[in-house]
């Protein structure tokens, strides 16, 4: 298991899924490349867990296919899929020790005892919990529980690894270190991994590519930088980082059905002469490296972030200012 | 502050009155039993001699082990019946599930002793089933031989206790627990055994220990099956045949209490640290699997077999109550209404007594239970927890022990006309009330917990005194819950026998359960006994229905009010 496994791709094509009358997944198409750390990113309730459960075999699609390594997995029940899933609640069994939890999947595969013991030790070593083999899950911290859940799953050497909001039960400090550990582990194993999160920072910092989801649809797929620089629509633009969104009539003409979008740090404050976007400063915040201004432009309030220079002159609330914007930073996006 | 003073004075008076009641009618009788067991016959000093006698008497030792064996085997067989049903109904889409859920009420409707004789006629050596087996296959099966009969009867009566607790526990397991196991390659029965069952263990143990204690304490069922060598029947026989001065009845009583306490303690010990509480964190339960046609057929076969067994005592009782003569034949020779005419005629005293005793006992329970619940949940009276604790200990006191305690403690207390207190019928009512109090208390807690404190505070804020608040706000809001408690207490009181058996002094004071027991002893009385049994079952079933109705109604009323 410490040696890289043969990585496997995941193909999701034309998937629709409903629970009763709620249409939860709508025409989902995705392709996860072998060995990559891929994120499902979207607000709570958008269908990330459902998509993960579909891959693991706990939900059935009405239309469409899920291919693992090129093979349709529809006929396989969850216990034959070799898809390792780490549940959001971790789902560690409280009546078993840590070692027993990790050994479970291997025992179900009827491996010889010696091999089970070896692989349990290896998996626990990999997540740095060798000293905790005899403990019960309830005796571990949240971060340790999460690592047991990961160890339990990778011990069976699954074809792919699915992580459902693995950091959501940890405190803010832990999240940063644990996400790095997860990334390092994934790299070492070379395991195709899907990482579900509603936190764009988590997705941006450790994932190779991200699928941004909204209300059961995939809105855009790309690397974190692609998504940030070239969002395909307003949802992606505003979900990843902050974005100013202006309609027609706010000073710059906008094509029908689209909006003008730009990042706060790409704009600068200028004099009002000859600048189409202008208005009064309504609020100012000092953030350390930058200063953030709110400017009322037409019917919209926009944000402008300028680098802070000591001794530099600051605008005050009530000043009339112009908002200057390089043309290459102006994006015209559909909803 | 003066107001606060009178308020807590009123509460203290109430608490003292309840404490006095529990002291006189629960603590004193039980303490008397224990005291007598540890003193020399004829009132000497403290001694262990009686216990040595007990241990040296073959009959008692044999009875003890028989009781242990019967209780344990009942748990085994009851589990064997409950497990497949719990598995089926909680893990599969199964239309028979409703049927199985209703089984849960059956032991409340009819305690095992009621159907004992009928079961003898159905499953005994020369009962219907064995006659047919003999005719077709030339074999007979000793379902009802000796201890087997007790085990058989108790198991089919009490398995729903395990079923209900186990099913609830299985339903409460977070579905991710089992999905994680499926994800790692496990499924089916193996998954059930390795993950679901261990996680549901607390529910199973709760049900199993209850069954163990109930069977261990049962007097009437073994006696009606003519099994005398068990411990609880021995206590009864000893006291009724040798008299209340013989220490052995008391020693056995102490052993019975000891076993009840030890069982509860052991189950608490086993469960220590196992209260996993893995209840759902949102999302529905585990997706239930659809049964394939062949599996579905098998499932129905299992359910129908078990249902047939469960209904057998009821069907047998009904047949017996209409039978002219029924022996050495699969079905009665002919049918008649004469037994009903008899019990509704000259034996109608039993029914009247039951209605009187049960309503009085249930009334006492609801008043005391409600008062204790109020004191515990709504006041800061010091020592209020003791009331709850004392009332709940009644659970560990077998009925026969309470009966013996009353007899001993109150026989010397004479009424002005010279009759001993223990011989008055009101004592039967008090014994029944004490036995049912823990259940009424739970109902009262449930009713009171659903009422928001803020409603009471609002009333006080508007100037109502504490007493008026209780009268005008708390009691009306609790009515539904208390009514349900009353009816449930009433129903179970109507078939209470073990304490009654000891306390009934004359036939004219006897309730229905006692009459049934006496009539069932003789072949000539069986028909009438069965008719009484049917009446009891119908009475209890109606009450259970009413209790459900009252509970639903109050639920709905609250839904609208609050
Ligand atoms: N078992 C279910 N039955 C009905 N609706 C469900 C079920 N599971 C999820 N949903 C609904 O599907 C939508 C997507 O849920 P989910 O996949 O859990 O979202 P996410 O993980 O992105 O927060 C939600 O609106 C949720 O209410
Ligand atoms: Mg989710």
């Amino acid at each position: 298991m410490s040696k890289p496994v043969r990585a496997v791709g995941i193909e999701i094509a034309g998937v629709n899924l409903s629970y009763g009358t709620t249409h939860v997944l709508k025409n989902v198409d995705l392709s996860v490349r072998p060995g990559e750390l891929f994120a499902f990113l979207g607000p709570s309730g958008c269908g990330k867990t459902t998509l993960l459960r579909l891959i693991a075999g706990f939900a059935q699609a009405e239309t469409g296919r899920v291919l693992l390594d090129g093979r349709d997995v529809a006929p396989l029940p969850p216990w034959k899929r070799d898809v390792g899933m780490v549940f959001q609640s971790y789902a560690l069994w409280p009546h078993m020790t840590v070692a027993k939890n990790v050994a479970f999947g291997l025992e179900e595969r009827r491996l010889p005892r010696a091999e089970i013991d070896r692989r349990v030790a290896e998996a626990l070593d990999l997540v740095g919990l060798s000293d905790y083999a005899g403990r019960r899950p309830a005796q571990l911290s949240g971060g340790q529980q999460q690592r047991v859940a990961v160890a339990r799953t990778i011990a069976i050497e699954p074809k792919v690894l699915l992580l459902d909001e693995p950091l959501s039960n940890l405190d803010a400090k832990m999240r940063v270190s644990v996400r790095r550990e997860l990334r390092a582990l994934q790299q070492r194993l070379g395991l195709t991994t899907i990482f579900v999160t509603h936190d764009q920072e988590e997705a941006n910092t450790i994932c190779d590519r991200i699928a941004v989801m909204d209300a059961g649809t995939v809105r855009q797929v790309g690397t974190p930088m692609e998504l940030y620089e070239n969002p395909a629509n307003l949802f992606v633009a505003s979900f990843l980082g902050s974005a100013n969104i202006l309609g027609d009539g706010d000073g710059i003409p906008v094509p029908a059905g689209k909006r003008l979008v730009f990042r706060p740090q790409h704009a600068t404050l200028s004099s009002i002469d000859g600048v189409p976007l202008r208005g009064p400063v309504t609020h100012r915040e000092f953030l350390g490296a930058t200063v953030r201004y709110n400017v009322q432009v037409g019917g919209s309030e926009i944000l402008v972030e300028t680098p802070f220079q000591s001794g530099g002159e600051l605008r005050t609330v009530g000043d009339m200012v112009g908002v200057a914007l390089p043309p290459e930073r102006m994006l015209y996006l559909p909803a | 502050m003066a107001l606060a003073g009178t308020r807590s004075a009123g509460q203290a008076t109430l608490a003292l009155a309840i404490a006095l009641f529990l002291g006189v009618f629960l603590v004193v009788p039980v303490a008397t039993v224990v005291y007598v067991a540890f003193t020399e016959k004829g009132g000497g000093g403290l001694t262990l001699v009686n216990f040595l006698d007990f241990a040296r008497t073959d009959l008692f030792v044999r009875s003890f082990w028989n009781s242990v064996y019967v209780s344990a085997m009942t748990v085994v067989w009851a589990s064997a019946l409950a497990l497949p049903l719990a598995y089926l109904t909680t893990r599969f889409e199964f239309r028979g599930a409703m049927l199985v859920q209703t089984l849960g009420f059956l032991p409340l409707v009819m305690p095992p002793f009621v159907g004992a004789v009928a079961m003898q006629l159905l499953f005994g050596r020369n009962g219907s089933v064995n006659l047919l087996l003999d005719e077709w296959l030339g074999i007979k099966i000793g379902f009802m031989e000796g201890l087997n009969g007790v085990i058989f009867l108790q198991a089919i009566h009490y398995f729903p206790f395990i079923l209900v607790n186990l099913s609830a526990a299985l339903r409460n397991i977070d579905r991710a627990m089992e999905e994680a196991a499926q994800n790692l390659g496990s499924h089916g029965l193996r998954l059930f055994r390795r993950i679901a069952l261990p996680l549901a263990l607390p529910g199973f143990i709760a049900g199993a220990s209850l069954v163990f204690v109930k069977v261990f304490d049962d007097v009437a069922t073994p006696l009606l099956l003519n099994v005398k060598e068990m411990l609880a029947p021995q206590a009864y026989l000893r006291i009724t045949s040798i008299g209340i001065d013989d220490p052995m009845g008391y020693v056995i009583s102490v052993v019975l209490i000891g076993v009840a306490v030890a069982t509860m303690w052991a189950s608490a010990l086993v469960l220590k640290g196992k209260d996993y509480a893995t209840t759902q964190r949102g999302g529905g339960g585990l997706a239930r699997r659809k049964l394939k046609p062949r599996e579905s057929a098998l499932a129905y076969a299992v359910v129908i077999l078990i249902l047939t067994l469960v209904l057998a005592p009821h069907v047998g009782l009904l047949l017996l109550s209409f039978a002219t003569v029924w022996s050495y034949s699969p079905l009665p020779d002919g049918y008649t209404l004469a037994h009903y005419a008899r019990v509704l005629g000259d034996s109608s005293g039993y029914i009247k007594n039951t209605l009187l005793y049960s309503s009085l006992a249930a009334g006492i329970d609801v008043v005391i239970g409600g008062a204790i619940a109020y004191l515990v949940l709504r006041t800061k009276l010091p020592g209020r927890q003791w009331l709850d604790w004392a009332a709940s200990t009644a659970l560990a006191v077998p009925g026969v022990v309470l009966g013996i305690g009353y007899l001993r403690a109150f026989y010397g207390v004479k009424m002005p006309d010279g009759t001993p207190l223990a011989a008055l019928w009101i004592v039967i009512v008090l014994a029944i009330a004490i036995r049912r109090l823990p259940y009424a208390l739970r109902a009262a807690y449930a009713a009171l917990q659903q009422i928001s404190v803020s409603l009471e505070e609002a009333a006080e804020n508007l100037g109502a005194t504490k007493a008026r608040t209780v009268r005008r706000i708390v009691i009306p809001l609790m009515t539904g819950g208390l009514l349900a408690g009353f009816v449930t207490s009433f129903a179970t009181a109507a078939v209470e026998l073990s304490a009654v058996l000891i306390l009934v002094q004359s036939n004219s004071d006897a309730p229905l359960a006692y009459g049934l027991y006496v009539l069932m002893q003789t072949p000539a009385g069986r028909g009438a006994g069965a008719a009484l049994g049917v009446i009891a079952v119908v009475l209890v079933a109606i009450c259970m229905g009413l209790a459900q109705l009252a509970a639903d109604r109050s639920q709905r009323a609250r839904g609208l009010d609050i």
Side-chain angles (χ1 to χ4, degrees):
Chain A
M1 145 192 10
S2 40
K3 52 203 174 295
V5 291
R6 190 182 70 82
V8 156
I10 307 170
E11 209 73 42
I12 295 167
V15 161
N16 278 283
L17 189 154
S18 303
Y19 285 120
T21 53
T22 29
H23 198 174
V24 178
L25 295 178
K26 300 166 191 160
N27 282 318
V28 172
D29 290 297
L30 275 177
S31 151
V32 181
R33 294 174 196 146
E36 97 182 315
L37 179 52
F38 191 94
F40 292 170
L41 173 65
S44 167
C46 70
K48 307 178 297 286
T49 299
T50 305
L51 191 51
L52 219 54
R53 292 171 62 81
L54 177 73
I55 299 170
F58 295 119
Q60 267 70 45
E62 278 124 49
T63 67
R65 300 187 307 161
V66 176
L67 306 181
L68 270 184
D69 202 11
R71 279 183 43 213
D72 192 341
V73 292
L76 297 177
W79 50 93
K80 293 205 176 128
R81 286 204 180 181
D82 264 336
V83 163
M85 176 152 169
V86 174
F87 290 78
Q88 187 170 3
S89 61
Y90 310 145
L92 297 179
W93 300 301
H95 62 294
M96 298 182 183
T97 60
V98 166
K100 273 278 166 202
N101 264 281
V102 178
F104 183 88
L106 305 170
E107 285 166 356
E108 289 301 307
R109 284 167 175 69
R110 314 284 157 103
L111 297 181
R113 193 74 241 172
E115 176 163 7
I116 293 177
D117 292 343
R118 184 181 61 72
R119 280 169 66 171
V120 168
E122 219 174 79
L124 285 178
D125 187 43
L126 210 54
V127 297
L129 285 176
S130 300
D131 296 341
Y132 296 83
R135 297 242 193 139
R136 297 272 167 149
Q139 298 168 305
L140 302 181
S141 71
Q144 290 168 330
Q145 289 182 9
Q146 194 254 9
R147 284 186 275 163
V148 175
V150 171
R152 180 175 76 176
T153 308
I154 59 176
I156 63 165
E157 298 181 2
K159 287 188 190 141
V160 299
L161 182 60
L162 311 178
L163 305 168
D164 192 359
E165 310 224 10
L167 309 178
S168 64
N169 289 328
L170 306 179
D171 58 51
K173 251 204 187 120
M174 289 283 293
R175 280 183 206 165
V176 174
S177 61
V178 171
R179 76 187 185 207
R180 283 193 197 133
E181 284 168 25
L182 279 177
R183 171 66 179 175
L185 185 66
Q186 187 268 341
Q187 293 279 291
R188 206 168 340 148
L189 298 175
L191 195 55
T192 312
T193 300
I194 296 177
F195 181 100
V196 166
T197 178
H198 61 263
D199 180 345
Q200 49 134 338
E201 184 184 319
E202 282 174 13
N204 283 336
T205 46
I206 63 167
C207 293
D208 297 312
R209 289 196 306 145
I210 299 172
V212 181
M213 294 178 63
D214 173 36
T217 55
V218 175
R219 301 303 302 270
Q220 191 177 3
V221 179
T223 65
M225 271 168 251
E226 281 165 7
L227 296 176
Y228 189 77
E229 296 274 289
N230 290 308
N233 47 56
L234 291 177
F235 180 80
V236 174
S238 49
F239 197 76
L240 288 144
S242 45
N244 291 308
I245 299 174
L246 292 177
D248 205 21
D250 285 331
I252 294 179
V254 176
K258 299 207 169 176
R259 299 292 188 87
L260 169 63
V261 178
F262 61 93
R263 304 281 179 200
Q265 69 273 26
H266 292 152
T268 48
L269 295 186
S270 63
S271 66
I272 58 175
D273 303 330
V275 183
L277 302 178
R278 55 183 166 219
V281 173
T282 55
H283 190 70
R284 189 182 77 195
E285 278 172 0
F286 173 62
L287 302 175
T290 56
V291 181
R292 179 190 294 157
Y293 295 95
N294 293 40
V295 182
Q296 186 69 41
V297 176
S300 318
E301 184 164 68
I302 62 175
L303 298 176
V304 176
E305 283 177 22
T306 55
F308 172 67
Q309 279 130 6
S310 59
E313 193 186 326
L314 295 181
R315 307 301 182 112
T316 51
V317 171
D319 285 358
M320 286 299 287
V321 294
V323 177
L325 201 56
E328 72 274 14
R329 293 299 190 182
M330 302 211 275
L331 301 169
Y332 294 96
L333 301 180
Chain B
M1 275 301 100
L3 192 64
T6 57
R7 170 190 299 171
S8 58
Q11 289 167 358
T13 316
L14 181 63
L16 280 179
I18 295 172
L20 191 68
F21 178 84
L22 292 176
V24 173
F25 296 110
L26 176 59
V27 180
V28 168
V30 174
T32 307
V33 169
V34 176
Y35 176 75
V36 175
F38 284 99
T39 44
E40 275 169 50
K41 191 172 175 177
L46 291 180
T47 175
L48 284 175
V49 124
N50 300 328
F51 285 85
L52 276 177
D53 279 350
F54 175 87
R56 285 204 208 99
T57 312
D58 273 351
L59 173 65
F60 294 147
V61 174
R62 208 161 51 238
S63 298
F64 174 81
W65 288 116
N66 281 345
S67 283
V68 172
Y69 171 78
V70 166
S71 305
M73 287 307 284
T74 300
V75 169
V76 169
W77 283 105
S79 307
L81 294 176
L83 263 177
L85 292 180
Y87 179 55
L88 264 177
T89 52
T90 58
R91 292 300 178 265
F92 295 93
E93 267 180 32
F94 181 56
R95 280 162 178 270
M98 268 303 293
L99 218 58
V100 175
Q101 294 308 315
T102 37
L103 291 181
F105 285 103
L106 283 176
L108 288 177
V109 176
M110 179 167 118
F113 74 90
V114 176
V117 169
M119 286 297 277
Q120 196 72 276
L121 291 169
L122 287 174
F123 289 94
R125 172 142 290 271
N126 295 308
S128 318
V129 171
N130 271 324
L131 288 177
L132 295 176
L133 281 178
D134 196 25
E135 200 177 307
W136 295 336
L137 307 169
I139 55 162
K140 287 191 172 190
I141 301 175
F143 297 106
M144 302 296 288
E145 301 302 310
L147 301 181
N148 285 353
V150 187
I151 295 169
F152 182 48
L153 196 58
Q154 303 279 27
I156 63 173
H157 264 287
Y158 284 131
F159 83 88
F161 281 117
I162 296 181
L163 176 63
V164 168
N165 283 295
L166 184 61
S167 305
L170 282 171
R171 260 191 288 275
N172 280 337
I173 297 172
D174 182 358
R175 73 171 171 183
M177 289 288 159
E178 281 163 88
E179 285 178 349
Q182 291 184 332
N183 182 252
L184 296 175
S186 188
H187 70 108
L189 270 177
R190 221 177 125 75
L191 184 153
F192 186 69
R193 184 172 61 72
R194 295 197 65 188
I195 304 295
L197 211 49
L199 290 177
L201 195 66
F204 174 76
I205 300 271
S209 56
L210 195 62
V211 170
F212 188 93
V213 171
K214 276 194 173 286
V215 174
F216 208 95
D217 294 346
D218 194 354
V219 175
T221 310
L223 286 180
L224 277 172
L225 293 172
N226 212 18
V227 171
K228 297 196 174 70
E229 297 194 352
M230 285 179 63
L231 214 50
Q234 280 299 320
Y236 166 72
L237 293 172
R238 204 66 194 185
I239 292 292
T240 47
S241 60
I242 302 187
I244 62 167
D245 289 328
D246 176 69
M248 273 310 136
Y250 301 88
V251 172
I252 298 174
S253 295
V254 170
V255 174
L256 290 178
I257 296 177
V259 168
V261 171
T263 306
M264 289 174 192
W265 179 74
S267 71
L269 206 67
V270 171
L271 292 180
K272 202 162 166 236
K274 291 215 175 68
D275 190 9
Y276 302 126
T278 71
T279 30
Q280 307 292 337
R281 301 168 206 222
L286 188 73
R288 295 184 186 184
R289 190 159 73 76
K290 281 206 181 64
L291 289 164
K292 298 186 189 102
R294 191 176 305 169
E295 294 172 327
S296 186
L298 186 69
Y300 271 106
V302 169
V303 170
I304 288 171
L305 177 74
I306 293 178
L307 205 61
T308 310
L309 281 178
V310 167
L311 288 177
H314 297 251
V315 173
L317 191 72
L318 201 63
L319 281 177
L320 188 57
S321 75
F322 287 113
T324 48
V325 179
W326 184 11
S327 64
Y328 290 98
S329 64
L331 285 175
D333 297 349
Y335 298 92
T336 171
L337 286 174
H339 304 311
Y340 285 93
R342 179 174 161 196
V343 294
L344 292 174
D346 46 303
S347 303
S348 62
Y350 292 137
I351 300 173
K352 281 191 207 115
N353 287 339
T354 290
L355 293 176
L356 176 67
Y357 297 177
S358 302
S359 3
L360 285 177
I364 293 173
D365 282 349
V366 166
V367 171
I368 295 185
I372 294 179
Y374 183 79
L375 288 171
V376 169
L377 293 180
R378 292 289 199 270
T379 73
K380 305 234 167 343
L381 206 65
R384 61 195 187 284
Q385 285 295 346
W386 282 85
L387 293 176
D388 169 56
W389 182 82
S392 304
T393 48
L395 283 176
V397 181
V400 62
V401 175
L402 199 67
I404 293 174
Y406 274 40
L407 216 51
R408 178 75 184 213
F410 303 138
Y411 216 83
V413 185
K414 298 275 198 266
M415 292 285 97
D417 66 347
T419 48
L421 177 61
L424 294 181
W425 60 264
I426 191 71
V427 169
I428 301 175
V429 172
L430 291 169
I432 298 176
I434 289 285
R435 293 267 293 154
R436 298 296 148 202
L437 183 55
Y439 305 98
L441 183 57
R442 292 302 142 222
Y445 274 134
L448 193 57
Q449 260 154 1
Q450 287 170 339
I451 301 174
S452 148
V453 181
S454 59
L455 285 177
E456 291 158 55
E457 287 169 353
E460 282 169 44
N461 182 251
L462 295 173
T465 65
K466 203 81 180 172
R468 276 177 70 82
T469 307
V470 169
R471 211 166 53 238
R472 298 198 44 196
I473 307 290
V474 179
I475 291 181
L477 281 173
M478 279 176 79
T479 304
L482 289 181
L483 198 62
F486 175 86
V487 185
T488 313
S489 293
F490 178 90
T492 49
V495 286
E496 163 73 42
L497 182 57
S498 48
V500 170
L501 217 44
I502 301 240
L503 290 173
V504 167
Q505 301 288 318
S506 76
N507 234 344
S508 64
D509 284 343
L512 193 152
Y514 184 89
L516 188 152
Y517 177 80
V518 172
L519 285 168
M520 286 287 191
Q521 306 280 340
T522 62
R526 277 176 184 175
L532 271 183
V534 171
I535 291 171
V537 169
V538 170
L539 192 68
V540 173
I542 290 174
C543 289
M544 288 301 178
L546 288 179
Q548 194 60 47
L549 213 64
D552 287 353
R553 170 101 28 111
S554 78
Q555 205 83 37
R556 225 169 313 135
R558 246 193 311 276
L560 292 177
D561 289 342
I562 299 174

